[in-house]
Amino acid sequence: MTWTHNFDESPDAELKDTLRRDFHWGFATAAAQVEGTWNKDGKGESIWDKFCHTPGKVKDGSTNEDATRAYDLYKQDVALMKSYGVTAYRFSLSWSRIIPLGGINDPVNEKGVDYYNNLIDELIANGITPFVTLFHWDTPQALEDRYGGMLNQEKYTPDFLRYACLCFERFGDRVKHWITYNEPGVYTLAGYAAGVHAPARSSFRERNAEGDSSTETFIVAHTEIVSHARAAKIYREEFKPHQKGQIGITLHGNYSEPWDVNDPKDVEAAQRAREFEIAWFADPIYGSGDYPASMRSQLGSRLPTFTDEEKSIVKGSSDFYGMNTYTTFFVRHLDGEADINDHLGNVEKLDTNSEGKSRGPESDTYWLRTAPSGFGKLLHWIWDRYHVPIYMTENGTTAKGEHVKAPPSAEVLNDTFRVDFFHSYLRELARAVQDGVDIRSYFGWTFTDNWEWAAGFEDRFGCTWVDFESEEKTRFPKRSAYFLGDYFTHLIAEG
Ligand code: PNW
């Protein structure tokens, strides 16, 4: 079944040909969420493999052993993406598939390298530009066991750099768009502050046996920022001159609106919340070169400091701003001293504002509501503060009622809720471009329904419905996949 869309009327008519001719659009995925083949063809264990085999950690009790079987079905997937009209595909490499034990002196798994070579070749043969993320949360378990993974910056960094170099060497002749880390913030907040993601550490003993949310969260973030910068430096010095690619980092960030726009404390709190969530990583890399003053004043010495040498390589270490964003929250200030385990900036995040206005319609994911106007404001906020080209690397939603038995009905596949989400956000994106914001890509999250981390298979983010019960993980296109193709044809300038 296909659907065609018409954009001849206002306000879409005014947005025609707004995006640059070489604008990239497509879908983003992550290795641990789609590949499957978790322990075959030489792949080593990652922290997510361990996490999902620990009872009680994943909502539906599932594992990612098979996921969508993207490892086996990559040719079929590339053909399906091509039929959607994408021009680019963002995927991540599984570190422990390439170096099963992860470390600088550990052996390389050539079968893993072959898999990514084949995927990259298949994409290029089909006219699809690969965007490659080195790290999307799946640290090799062996490194966690050896020295505590990213908690040990000194031991971890050489291991990460060797992995990064190997990837530049083996894939960089064809990959011209590199992303070092996906959402270093969500990795550390969920894995070390809340303890609900791998490696499952926090101060909360009812949930995690070990960890300290008040310190480890910031230590791990520091390791990510500095090792990103070292990888970028090596790429720029040793690979970029002949490979001629770009390298950067992808940060998460939702928009924060004041709960009461007339209360200066809430206005300040909203800005502080944006700093704790976004500027935490973005200020050192794109801005002042250091952590925001608001964070230093709340966290004191629990927030690490950059050495002069670190500062000099971190600032300017990303060629572009890789941006993942999903939603907006209303933010109300809290009085008194912040809790020791606070990571938000001593604020409360709410679904309605002081006038009772909702932040948007509910999806099938508790934190995610459709909130396009916040997205438009966020694009301006990032552009005004950092002034670097923005690559949108993830954006998308779940929709209620899609968690059904196969085969899905025509009604389920006609995912108007997701179409409305994309439509409203892309209008904001195109308007921001008209206002002068430099945006160069958009990757929908995500290509197919997949294994949504601790939410298991219950949160379906795909533009393609997947029958997870079937051996073939049968794919059924949803309307939103075709919507994106049609709308980008309208928005991207011709020729
Ligand atoms: C991203 N938040 O994570 C990840 O990059 C994907 O792997 C993931 O599947 C996708 O978004 C959907 O969850 C996020 O709470 C998780 O704001 C949580 C948030 C944002 C991004």
Side-chain angles (χ1 to χ4, degrees):
M1 194 170 355
T2 52
W3 294 266
T4 43
H5 306 88
N6 181 344
F7 304 110
D8 293 340
E9 281 170 34
S10 184
D12 293 315
E14 287 79 52
L15 300 173
K16 190 170 165 49
D17 297 340
T18 301
L19 306 181
R20 45 195 289 153
R21 273 178 303 185
D22 59 356
F23 191 93
H24 300 277
W25 89 270
F27 296 99
T29 64
Q33 295 181 270
V34 299
E35 285 183 359
T37 322
W38 73 291
N39 65 352
K40 293 194 208 106
D41 284 0
K43 180 176 165 295
E45 197 186 18
S46 82
I47 59 171
W48 276 95
D49 297 326
K50 177 168 178 190
F51 182 91
C52 71
H53 288 92
T54 310
K57 294 290 187 201
V58 177
K59 197 164 111 191
D60 58 1
S62 64
T63 69
N64 68 351
E65 287 185 5
D66 299 323
T68 71
R69 292 187 56 207
Y71 183 84
D72 302 315
L73 303 176
Y74 73 94
K75 283 195 179 176
Q76 180 188 318
D77 279 344
V78 172
L80 184 56
M81 270 189 262
K82 190 179 186 186
S83 80
Y84 292 163
V86 310
T87 64
Y89 176 48
R90 171 178 177 241
F91 61 96
S92 82
L93 308 177
S94 158
W95 183 346
S96 64
R97 189 181 291 293
I98 294 175
I99 307 170
L101 297 174
I104 187 164
N105 295 315
D106 293 319
V108 173
N109 175 34
E110 291 298 337
K111 276 194 177 162
V113 174
D114 289 348
Y115 167 64
Y116 295 114
N117 271 326
N118 292 338
L119 172 59
I120 291 163
D121 289 346
E122 187 72 10
L123 288 166
I124 291 173
N126 284 280
I128 300 172
T129 303
F131 277 61
V132 177
T133 309
L134 293 175
F135 180 88
H136 199 127
W137 304 356
D138 46 356
T139 313
Q141 182 61 40
L143 304 186
E144 209 62 31
D145 296 339
R146 274 180 201 163
Y147 51 72
M150 292 190 201
L151 284 170
N152 191 330
Q153 184 186 351
E154 206 185 319
K155 292 222 165 79
Y156 167 87
T157 304
D159 288 347
F160 177 70
L161 295 180
R162 186 273 184 125
Y163 163 58
C165 284
L166 184 77
C167 296
F168 302 148
E169 273 161 27
R170 300 299 190 92
F171 311 124
D173 56 332
R174 288 150 296 152
V175 173
K176 305 300 168 192
H177 300 271
W178 290 102
I179 293 162
T180 52
Y181 285 94
N182 177 72
E183 299 186 347
V186 174
Y187 179 72
T188 192
L189 287 167
Y192 294 84
V196 295
H197 275 190
R201 299 178 63 87
S202 77
S203 295
F204 309 110
R205 289 293 160 264
E206 66 281 12
R207 202 179 292 155
N208 306 116
E210 289 175 29
D212 182 343
S213 309
S214 75
T215 54
E216 291 185 0
T217 313
F218 304 106
I219 293 169
V220 166
H222 196 80
T223 300
E224 293 181 282
I225 294 170
V226 177
S227 59
H228 145 79
R230 296 202 191 285
K233 184 171 189 289
I234 295 176
Y235 181 75
R236 285 169 173 176
E237 289 175 0
E238 295 175 27
F239 296 91
K240 193 173 174 143
H242 57 283
Q243 293 186 348
K244 309 221 182 306
Q246 293 196 326
I247 190 158
I249 191 167
T250 277
L251 305 179
H252 86 289
N254 295 312
Y255 195 66
S256 294
E257 294 267 21
W259 181 74
D260 178 354
V261 285
N262 297 313
D263 184 344
K265 286 188 171 170
D266 284 350
V267 174
E268 219 177 273
Q271 177 71 354
R272 198 166 59 243
R274 290 174 216 131
E275 290 180 352
F276 268 72
E277 185 173 347
I278 300 170
W280 176 13
F281 296 90
D283 275 11
I285 295 172
Y286 305 102
S288 65
D290 204 348
Y291 293 120
S294 56
M295 293 187 77
R296 179 65 64 196
S297 95
Q298 180 179 315
L299 303 166
S301 62
R302 287 188 285 117
L303 188 66
T305 41
F306 291 102
T307 64
D308 288 342
E309 187 265 341
E310 286 178 348
K311 248 187 214 169
S312 72
I313 59 162
V314 166
K315 193 172 153 73
S317 59
S318 191
D319 293 333
F320 53 86
Y321 190 104
M323 180 172 174
N324 290 359
T325 188
Y326 289 85
T327 195
T328 294
F329 289 90
F330 293 115
V331 165
R332 185 157 60 176
H333 75 278
L334 292 173
D335 290 314
E337 208 172 302
D339 186 89
I340 182 99
N341 292 319
D342 174 71
H343 301 89
L344 304 177
N346 206 19
V347 302
E348 197 178 5
K349 294 202 171 175
L350 299 162
D351 290 333
T352 48
N353 71 5
S354 62
E355 290 165 355
K357 184 182 162 232
S358 160
R359 68 188 177 96
E362 287 175 30
S363 66
D364 209 21
T365 299
Y366 70 95
W367 51 267
L368 211 178
R369 306 272 189 111
T370 305
S373 78
F375 171 58
K377 290 179 193 173
L378 180 63
L379 286 168
H380 283 278
W381 191 83
I382 300 282
W383 177 248
D384 292 345
R385 193 167 172 120
Y386 304 117
H387 235 78
V388 275
I390 297 171
Y391 281 77
M392 284 292 306
T393 41
E394 276 180 34
N395 179 233
T397 189
T398 52
K400 288 181 194 271
E402 291 190 352
H403 200 57
V404 295
K405 283 233 166 299
S409 65
E411 205 188 332
V412 165
L413 295 177
N414 185 11
D415 57 341
T416 53
F417 183 83
R418 186 175 288 98
V419 168
D420 291 346
F421 179 98
F422 283 129
H423 198 175
S424 61
Y425 278 61
L426 286 170
R427 277 179 176 165
E428 291 294 333
L429 181 143
R431 286 184 188 125
V433 169
Q434 287 182 335
D435 292 343
V437 181
D438 184 352
I439 307 173
R440 302 189 181 184
S441 77
Y442 183 91
F443 292 91
W445 186 269
T446 178
F447 172 48
T448 63
D449 294 337
N450 65 31
W451 190 72
E452 176 55 28
W453 309 109
F457 291 113
E458 287 181 8
D459 284 25
R460 291 177 177 267
F461 271 92
C463 289
T464 311
W465 197 90
V466 173
D467 177 7
F468 291 108
E469 310 273 292
S470 67
E471 186 61 32
E472 317 73 48
K473 311 291 175 197
T474 313
R475 278 88 160 124
F476 297 84
K478 301 181 194 176
R479 183 178 153 207
S480 54
Y482 298 107
F483 169 80
L484 285 175
D486 288 349
Y487 201 36
F488 277 110
T489 302
H490 176 76
L491 293 177
I492 298 173
E494 281 163 45

